[in-house]
Amino acid sequence: MKSIVILLIILFFSFESNAQSVTAYNNFFEQPQNSTQNTGFGHSYGLQVTDSIIGVSFIPTISGEVSNIWVGVGTSLQNPGTDIFNLYIATSGSFQEPDTVIGEVEVQGELSKRTSIVELSAESGIFLNKGTSYWLLISPGQGTSEVGFLGGATTTSLAYLYPDSPSGWFVGNSMGSAAFRIDVNVAEVSPVPEPENYALLMLGIGFAALTIHRRK
């Protein structure tokens, strides 16, 4: 009888899925590189700049839908123009080059700071798969002639347009080419009792206690 009652109690629980945001990729220095930087968002001041478009590769350590992106950006220009740049996430093609864009955002008001850590809330629907190669790309916006990535903690692949290549891109390793972090939402499933079943649950517990008492 004990086992039957326990089974009934288990069945009174439902499973609730909660989204939890976790870091899928991080190329910031954990420790600040000088007094103006925050813990967890350290970066070097080396710039990988472009007047067209450049990209850096990354491989997520966990699958999920992109929730937030942090990226270190800057410019060597004294006057950044309209102060606009574009950021993209793309898949990798057959030559491991940037291929299909799966998400993009336009950012304004950061380049005039010369160096900046930008936090972006991603649009929904950008899903990244663990262990798969992707690209984060940056380009100047209309009225801005140059934009660049601040230096990151580890070596990544860097890509820039190269018409003589079969893929149209040159891809090669670059030491500390970009400081950025990408967080994703993952489903966390946990059992919770359904409110309408609390009465039945308590009745089952009471029945179990009564049965055990009578068998003594």
Side-chain angles (χ1 to χ4, degrees), residues 186-205:
V186 296
E188 183 182 62
V189 179
S190 57
V192 293
E194 296 180 1
E196 62 269 21
N197 286 328
Y198 276 123
L200 291 175
L201 178 60
M202 296 309 297
L203 180 61
I205 293 173

mmCIF file with all atom_site columns, all heavy atoms in Angstrom, residues 186-205:
data_model
loop_
_atom_site.group_PDB
_atom_site.id
_atom_site.type_symbol
_atom_site.label_atom_id
_atom_site.label_alt_id
_atom_site.label_comp_id
_atom_site.label_asym_id
_atom_site.label_entity_id
_atom_site.label_seq_id
_atom_site.pdbx_PDB_ins_code
_atom_site.Cartn_x
_atom_site.Cartn_y
_atom_site.Cartn_z
_atom_site.occupancy
_atom_site.B_iso_or_equiv
_atom_site.pdbx_formal_charge
_atom_site.auth_seq_id
_atom_site.auth_comp_id
_atom_site.auth_asym_id
_atom_site.auth_atom_id
_atom_site.pdbx_PDB_model_num
ATOM 1   N N   . VAL A 1 186 ? 18.218 28.756 -21.835 1.00 0.00 ? 186 VAL A N   1
ATOM 2   C CA  . VAL A 1 186 ? 18.043 27.309 -21.910 1.00 0.00 ? 186 VAL A CA  1
ATOM 3   C C   . VAL A 1 186 ? 16.870 26.926 -21.024 1.00 0.00 ? 186 VAL A C   1
ATOM 4   O O   . VAL A 1 186 ? 16.573 27.596 -20.032 1.00 0.00 ? 186 VAL A O   1
ATOM 5   C CB  . VAL A 1 186 ? 19.320 26.549 -21.476 1.00 0.00 ? 186 VAL A CB  1
ATOM 6   C CG1 . VAL A 1 186 ? 20.464 26.837 -22.431 1.00 0.00 ? 186 VAL A CG1 1
ATOM 7   C CG2 . VAL A 1 186 ? 19.729 26.921 -20.059 1.00 0.00 ? 186 VAL A CG2 1
ATOM 8   N N   . ALA A 1 187 ? 16.191 25.862 -21.400 1.00 0.00 ? 187 ALA A N   1
ATOM 9   C CA  . ALA A 1 187 ? 15.025 25.406 -20.641 1.00 0.00 ? 187 ALA A CA  1
ATOM 10  C C   . ALA A 1 187 ? 15.484 24.642 -19.415 1.00 0.00 ? 187 ALA A C   1
ATOM 11  O O   . ALA A 1 187 ? 16.335 23.760 -19.496 1.00 0.00 ? 187 ALA A O   1
ATOM 12  C CB  . ALA A 1 187 ? 14.131 24.529 -21.507 1.00 0.00 ? 187 ALA A CB  1
ATOM 13  N N   . GLU A 1 188 ? 14.922 24.994 -18.264 1.00 0.00 ? 188 GLU A N   1
ATOM 14  C CA  . GLU A 1 188 ? 15.196 24.287 -17.015 1.00 0.00 ? 188 GLU A CA  1
ATOM 15  C C   . GLU A 1 188 ? 13.883 23.694 -16.530 1.00 0.00 ? 188 GLU A C   1
ATOM 16  O O   . GLU A 1 188 ? 12.945 24.417 -16.191 1.00 0.00 ? 188 GLU A O   1
ATOM 17  C CB  . GLU A 1 188 ? 15.766 25.242 -15.971 1.00 0.00 ? 188 GLU A CB  1
ATOM 18  C CG  . GLU A 1 188 ? 16.146 24.554 -14.667 1.00 0.00 ? 188 GLU A CG  1
ATOM 19  C CD  . GLU A 1 188 ? 16.651 25.547 -13.634 1.00 0.00 ? 188 GLU A CD  1
ATOM 20  O OE1 . GLU A 1 188 ? 15.864 26.430 -13.243 1.00 0.00 ? 188 GLU A OE1 1
ATOM 21  O OE2 . GLU A 1 188 ? 17.814 25.453 -13.236 1.00 0.00 ? 188 GLU A OE2 1
ATOM 22  N N   . VAL A 1 189 ? 13.791 22.374 -16.537 1.00 0.00 ? 189 VAL A N   1
ATOM 23  C CA  . VAL A 1 189 ? 12.544 21.702 -16.183 1.00 0.00 ? 189 VAL A CA  1
ATOM 24  C C   . VAL A 1 189 ? 12.591 21.280 -14.722 1.00 0.00 ? 189 VAL A C   1
ATOM 25  O O   . VAL A 1 189 ? 13.537 20.634 -14.278 1.00 0.00 ? 189 VAL A O   1
ATOM 26  C CB  . VAL A 1 189 ? 12.313 20.463 -17.074 1.00 0.00 ? 189 VAL A CB  1
ATOM 27  C CG1 . VAL A 1 189 ? 11.032 19.766 -16.675 1.00 0.00 ? 189 VAL A CG1 1
ATOM 28  C CG2 . VAL A 1 189 ? 12.262 20.888 -18.539 1.00 0.00 ? 189 VAL A CG2 1
ATOM 29  N N   . SER A 1 190 ? 11.563 21.665 -13.971 1.00 0.00 ? 190 SER A N   1
ATOM 30  C CA  . SER A 1 190 ? 11.510 21.309 -12.550 1.00 0.00 ? 190 SER A CA  1
ATOM 31  C C   . SER A 1 190 ? 10.102 20.874 -12.185 1.00 0.00 ? 190 SER A C   1
ATOM 32  O O   . SER A 1 190 ? 9.123  21.430 -12.685 1.00 0.00 ? 190 SER A O   1
ATOM 33  C CB  . SER A 1 190 ? 11.928 22.504 -11.687 1.00 0.00 ? 190 SER A CB  1
ATOM 34  O OG  . SER A 1 190 ? 11.105 23.615 -11.955 1.00 0.00 ? 190 SER A OG  1
ATOM 35  N N   . PRO A 1 191 ? 9.972  19.868 -11.304 1.00 0.00 ? 191 PRO A N   1
ATOM 36  C CA  . PRO A 1 191 ? 8.639  19.409 -10.909 1.00 0.00 ? 191 PRO A CA  1
ATOM 37  C C   . PRO A 1 191 ? 8.000  20.362 -9.913  1.00 0.00 ? 191 PRO A C   1
ATOM 38  O O   . PRO A 1 191 ? 8.633  20.802 -8.964  1.00 0.00 ? 191 PRO A O   1
ATOM 39  C CB  . PRO A 1 191 ? 8.925  18.047 -10.259 1.00 0.00 ? 191 PRO A CB  1
ATOM 40  C CG  . PRO A 1 191 ? 10.323 18.168 -9.759  1.00 0.00 ? 191 PRO A CG  1
ATOM 41  C CD  . PRO A 1 191 ? 11.047 19.082 -10.714 1.00 0.00 ? 191 PRO A CD  1
ATOM 42  N N   . VAL A 1 192 ? 6.735  20.690 -10.140 1.00 0.00 ? 192 VAL A N   1
ATOM 43  C CA  . VAL A 1 192 ? 5.996  21.532 -9.208  1.00 0.00 ? 192 VAL A CA  1
ATOM 44  C C   . VAL A 1 192 ? 4.606  20.948 -9.036  1.00 0.00 ? 192 VAL A C   1
ATOM 45  O O   . VAL A 1 192 ? 4.021  20.436 -9.985  1.00 0.00 ? 192 VAL A O   1
ATOM 46  C CB  . VAL A 1 192 ? 5.876  22.995 -9.720  1.00 0.00 ? 192 VAL A CB  1
ATOM 47  C CG1 . VAL A 1 192 ? 7.219  23.672 -9.742  1.00 0.00 ? 192 VAL A CG1 1
ATOM 48  C CG2 . VAL A 1 192 ? 5.233  23.034 -11.091 1.00 0.00 ? 192 VAL A CG2 1
ATOM 49  N N   . PRO A 1 193 ? 4.040  21.005 -7.828  1.00 0.00 ? 193 PRO A N   1
ATOM 50  C CA  . PRO A 1 193 ? 2.691  20.485 -7.630  1.00 0.00 ? 193 PRO A CA  1
ATOM 51  C C   . PRO A 1 193 ? 1.663  21.411 -8.255  1.00 0.00 ? 193 PRO A C   1
ATOM 52  O O   . PRO A 1 193 ? 1.751  22.627 -8.148  1.00 0.00 ? 193 PRO A O   1
ATOM 53  C CB  . PRO A 1 193 ? 2.539  20.453 -6.101  1.00 0.00 ? 193 PRO A CB  1
ATOM 54  C CG  . PRO A 1 193 ? 3.504  21.478 -5.616  1.00 0.00 ? 193 PRO A CG  1
ATOM 55  C CD  . PRO A 1 193 ? 4.640  21.489 -6.589  1.00 0.00 ? 193 PRO A CD  1
ATOM 56  N N   . GLU A 1 194 ? 0.701  20.836 -8.970  1.00 0.00 ? 194 GLU A N   1
ATOM 57  C CA  . GLU A 1 194 ? -0.365 21.644 -9.550  1.00 0.00 ? 194 GLU A CA  1
ATOM 58  C C   . GLU A 1 194 ? -1.290 22.124 -8.432  1.00 0.00 ? 194 GLU A C   1
ATOM 59  O O   . GLU A 1 194 ? -1.701 21.336 -7.576  1.00 0.00 ? 194 GLU A O   1
ATOM 60  C CB  . GLU A 1 194 ? -1.152 20.818 -10.561 1.00 0.00 ? 194 GLU A CB  1
ATOM 61  C CG  . GLU A 1 194 ? -0.306 20.387 -11.751 1.00 0.00 ? 194 GLU A CG  1
ATOM 62  C CD  . GLU A 1 194 ? -1.109 19.559 -12.738 1.00 0.00 ? 194 GLU A CD  1
ATOM 63  O OE1 . GLU A 1 194 ? -2.309 19.348 -12.481 1.00 0.00 ? 194 GLU A OE1 1
ATOM 64  O OE2 . GLU A 1 194 ? -0.537 19.137 -13.746 1.00 0.00 ? 194 GLU A OE2 1
ATOM 65  N N   . PRO A 1 195 ? -1.642 23.411 -8.403  1.00 0.00 ? 195 PRO A N   1
ATOM 66  C CA  . PRO A 1 195 ? -2.458 23.957 -7.304  1.00 0.00 ? 195 PRO A CA  1
ATOM 67  C C   . PRO A 1 195 ? -3.763 23.199 -7.097  1.00 0.00 ? 195 PRO A C   1
ATOM 68  O O   . PRO A 1 195 ? -4.187 22.987 -5.966  1.00 0.00 ? 195 PRO A O   1
ATOM 69  C CB  . PRO A 1 195 ? -2.730 25.400 -7.769  1.00 0.00 ? 195 PRO A CB  1
ATOM 70  C CG  . PRO A 1 195 ? -1.582 25.719 -8.659  1.00 0.00 ? 195 PRO A CG  1
ATOM 71  C CD  . PRO A 1 195 ? -1.234 24.432 -9.360  1.00 0.00 ? 195 PRO A CD  1
ATOM 72  N N   . GLU A 1 196 ? -4.414 22.778 -8.206  1.00 0.00 ? 196 GLU A N   1
ATOM 73  C CA  . GLU A 1 196 ? -5.708 22.112 -8.066  1.00 0.00 ? 196 GLU A CA  1
ATOM 74  C C   . GLU A 1 196 ? -5.576 20.719 -7.445  1.00 0.00 ? 196 GLU A C   1
ATOM 75  O O   . GLU A 1 196 ? -6.568 20.091 -7.063  1.00 0.00 ? 196 GLU A O   1
ATOM 76  C CB  . GLU A 1 196 ? -6.404 22.007 -9.428  1.00 0.00 ? 196 GLU A CB  1
ATOM 77  C CG  . GLU A 1 196 ? -5.650 21.192 -10.457 1.00 0.00 ? 196 GLU A CG  1
ATOM 78  C CD  . GLU A 1 196 ? -4.705 22.051 -11.287 1.00 0.00 ? 196 GLU A CD  1
ATOM 79  O OE1 . GLU A 1 196 ? -4.349 23.140 -10.819 1.00 0.00 ? 196 GLU A OE1 1
ATOM 80  O OE2 . GLU A 1 196 ? -4.352 21.630 -12.398 1.00 0.00 ? 196 GLU A OE2 1
ATOM 81  N N   . ASN A 1 197 ? -4.337 20.237 -7.350  1.00 0.00 ? 197 ASN A N   1
ATOM 82  C CA  . ASN A 1 197 ? -4.141 18.895 -6.811  1.00 0.00 ? 197 ASN A CA  1
ATOM 83  C C   . ASN A 1 197 ? -3.635 18.904 -5.372  1.00 0.00 ? 197 ASN A C   1
ATOM 84  O O   . ASN A 1 197 ? -3.334 17.858 -4.811  1.00 0.00 ? 197 ASN A O   1
ATOM 85  C CB  . ASN A 1 197 ? -3.154 18.112 -7.674  1.00 0.00 ? 197 ASN A CB  1
ATOM 86  C CG  . ASN A 1 197 ? -3.774 17.663 -8.984  1.00 0.00 ? 197 ASN A CG  1
ATOM 87  O OD1 . ASN A 1 197 ? -4.966 17.390 -9.034  1.00 0.00 ? 197 ASN A OD1 1
ATOM 88  N ND2 . ASN A 1 197 ? -2.986 17.609 -10.041 1.00 0.00 ? 197 ASN A ND2 1
ATOM 89  N N   . TYR A 1 198 ? -3.518 20.105 -4.766  1.00 0.00 ? 198 TYR A N   1
ATOM 90  C CA  . TYR A 1 198 ? -3.053 20.151 -3.389  1.00 0.00 ? 198 TYR A CA  1
ATOM 91  C C   . TYR A 1 198 ? -3.974 19.358 -2.460  1.00 0.00 ? 198 TYR A C   1
ATOM 92  O O   . TYR A 1 198 ? -3.516 18.633 -1.574  1.00 0.00 ? 198 TYR A O   1
ATOM 93  C CB  . TYR A 1 198 ? -2.970 21.604 -2.898  1.00 0.00 ? 198 TYR A CB  1
ATOM 94  C CG  . TYR A 1 198 ? -1.685 22.295 -3.268  1.00 0.00 ? 198 TYR A CG  1
ATOM 95  C CD1 . TYR A 1 198 ? -1.686 23.468 -4.005  1.00 0.00 ? 198 TYR A CD1 1
ATOM 96  C CD2 . TYR A 1 198 ? -0.454 21.762 -2.879  1.00 0.00 ? 198 TYR A CD2 1
ATOM 97  C CE1 . TYR A 1 198 ? -0.513 24.105 -4.353  1.00 0.00 ? 198 TYR A CE1 1
ATOM 98  C CE2 . TYR A 1 198 ? 0.720  22.397 -3.219  1.00 0.00 ? 198 TYR A CE2 1
ATOM 99  C CZ  . TYR A 1 198 ? 0.693  23.567 -3.956  1.00 0.00 ? 198 TYR A CZ  1
ATOM 100 O OH  . TYR A 1 198 ? 1.851  24.193 -4.288  1.00 0.00 ? 198 TYR A OH  1
ATOM 101 N N   . ALA A 1 199 ? -5.304 19.486 -2.670  1.00 0.00 ? 199 ALA A N   1
ATOM 102 C CA  . ALA A 1 199 ? -6.257 18.782 -1.795  1.00 0.00 ? 199 ALA A CA  1
ATOM 103 C C   . ALA A 1 199 ? -6.100 17.282 -1.932  1.00 0.00 ? 199 ALA A C   1
ATOM 104 O O   . ALA A 1 199 ? -6.087 16.547 -0.937  1.00 0.00 ? 199 ALA A O   1
ATOM 105 C CB  . ALA A 1 199 ? -7.687 19.208 -2.149  1.00 0.00 ? 199 ALA A CB  1
ATOM 106 N N   . LEU A 1 200 ? -5.965 16.806 -3.162  1.00 0.00 ? 200 LEU A N   1
ATOM 107 C CA  . LEU A 1 200 ? -5.780 15.380 -3.386  1.00 0.00 ? 200 LEU A CA  1
ATOM 108 C C   . LEU A 1 200 ? -4.454 14.899 -2.808  1.00 0.00 ? 200 LEU A C   1
ATOM 109 O O   . LEU A 1 200 ? -4.348 13.789 -2.280  1.00 0.00 ? 200 LEU A O   1
ATOM 110 C CB  . LEU A 1 200 ? -5.838 15.080 -4.889  1.00 0.00 ? 200 LEU A CB  1
ATOM 111 C CG  . LEU A 1 200 ? -7.213 15.263 -5.551  1.00 0.00 ? 200 LEU A CG  1
ATOM 112 C CD1 . LEU A 1 200 ? -7.080 15.055 -7.063  1.00 0.00 ? 200 LEU A CD1 1
ATOM 113 C CD2 . LEU A 1 200 ? -8.217 14.275 -4.965  1.00 0.00 ? 200 LEU A CD2 1
ATOM 114 N N   . LEU A 1 201 ? -3.433 15.765 -2.928  1.00 0.00 ? 201 LEU A N   1
ATOM 115 C CA  . LEU A 1 201 ? -2.129 15.414 -2.386  1.00 0.00 ? 201 LEU A CA  1
ATOM 116 C C   . LEU A 1 201 ? -2.203 15.231 -0.876  1.00 0.00 ? 201 LEU A C   1
ATOM 117 O O   . LEU A 1 201 ? -1.702 14.247 -0.318  1.00 0.00 ? 201 LEU A O   1
ATOM 118 C CB  . LEU A 1 201 ? -1.119 16.515 -2.741  1.00 0.00 ? 201 LEU A CB  1
ATOM 119 C CG  . LEU A 1 201 ? 0.315  16.342 -2.201  1.00 0.00 ? 201 LEU A CG  1
ATOM 120 C CD1 . LEU A 1 201 ? 0.927  15.061 -2.725  1.00 0.00 ? 201 LEU A CD1 1
ATOM 121 C CD2 . LEU A 1 201 ? 1.163  17.545 -2.574  1.00 0.00 ? 201 LEU A CD2 1
ATOM 122 N N   . MET A 1 202 ? -2.863 16.175 -0.187  1.00 0.00 ? 202 MET A N   1
ATOM 123 C CA  . MET A 1 202 ? -2.981 16.080 1.260   1.00 0.00 ? 202 MET A CA  1
ATOM 124 C C   . MET A 1 202 ? -3.836 14.877 1.656   1.00 0.00 ? 202 MET A C   1
ATOM 125 O O   . MET A 1 202 ? -3.571 14.211 2.654   1.00 0.00 ? 202 MET A O   1
ATOM 126 C CB  . MET A 1 202 ? -3.597 17.377 1.813   1.00 0.00 ? 202 MET A CB  1
ATOM 127 C CG  . MET A 1 202 ? -2.725 18.607 1.593   1.00 0.00 ? 202 MET A CG  1
ATOM 128 S SD  . MET A 1 202 ? -1.012 18.382 2.139   1.00 0.00 ? 202 MET A SD  1
ATOM 129 C CE  . MET A 1 202 ? -1.263 18.123 3.887   1.00 0.00 ? 202 MET A CE  1
ATOM 130 N N   . LEU A 1 203 ? -4.874 14.580 0.855   1.00 0.00 ? 203 LEU A N   1
ATOM 131 C CA  . LEU A 1 203 ? -5.712 13.419 1.126   1.00 0.00 ? 203 LEU A CA  1
ATOM 132 C C   . LEU A 1 203 ? -4.896 12.137 1.005   1.00 0.00 ? 203 LEU A C   1
ATOM 133 O O   . LEU A 1 203 ? -5.020 11.212 1.814   1.00 0.00 ? 203 LEU A O   1
ATOM 134 C CB  . LEU A 1 203 ? -6.886 13.397 0.145   1.00 0.00 ? 203 LEU A CB  1
ATOM 135 C CG  . LEU A 1 203 ? -7.876 12.232 0.299   1.00 0.00 ? 203 LEU A CG  1
ATOM 136 C CD1 . LEU A 1 203 ? -8.517 12.284 1.679   1.00 0.00 ? 203 LEU A CD1 1
ATOM 137 C CD2 . LEU A 1 203 ? -8.930 12.287 -0.796  1.00 0.00 ? 203 LEU A CD2 1
ATOM 138 N N   . GLY A 1 204 ? -4.022 12.094 -0.005  1.00 0.00 ? 204 GLY A N   1
ATOM 139 C CA  . GLY A 1 204 ? -3.179 10.919 -0.182  1.00 0.00 ? 204 GLY A CA  1
ATOM 140 C C   . GLY A 1 204 ? -2.229 10.729 0.975   1.00 0.00 ? 204 GLY A C   1
ATOM 141 O O   . GLY A 1 204 ? -2.008 9.617  1.463   1.00 0.00 ? 204 GLY A O   1
ATOM 142 N N   . ILE A 1 205 ? -1.640 11.846 1.454   1.00 0.00 ? 205 ILE A N   1
ATOM 143 C CA  . ILE A 1 205 ? -0.717 11.762 2.595   1.00 0.00 ? 205 ILE A CA  1
ATOM 144 C C   . ILE A 1 205 ? -1.462 11.290 3.841   1.00 0.00 ? 205 ILE A C   1
ATOM 145 O O   . ILE A 1 205 ? -0.989 10.454 4.602   1.00 0.00 ? 205 ILE A O   1
ATOM 146 C CB  . ILE A 1 205 ? -0.052 13.131 2.835   1.00 0.00 ? 205 ILE A CB  1
ATOM 147 C CG1 . ILE A 1 205 ? 0.861  13.471 1.657   1.00 0.00 ? 205 ILE A CG1 1
ATOM 148 C CG2 . ILE A 1 205 ? 0.738  13.138 4.135   1.00 0.00 ? 205 ILE A CG2 1
ATOM 149 C CD1 . ILE A 1 205 ? 1.432  14.883 1.712   1.00 0.00 ? 205 ILE A CD1 1
#
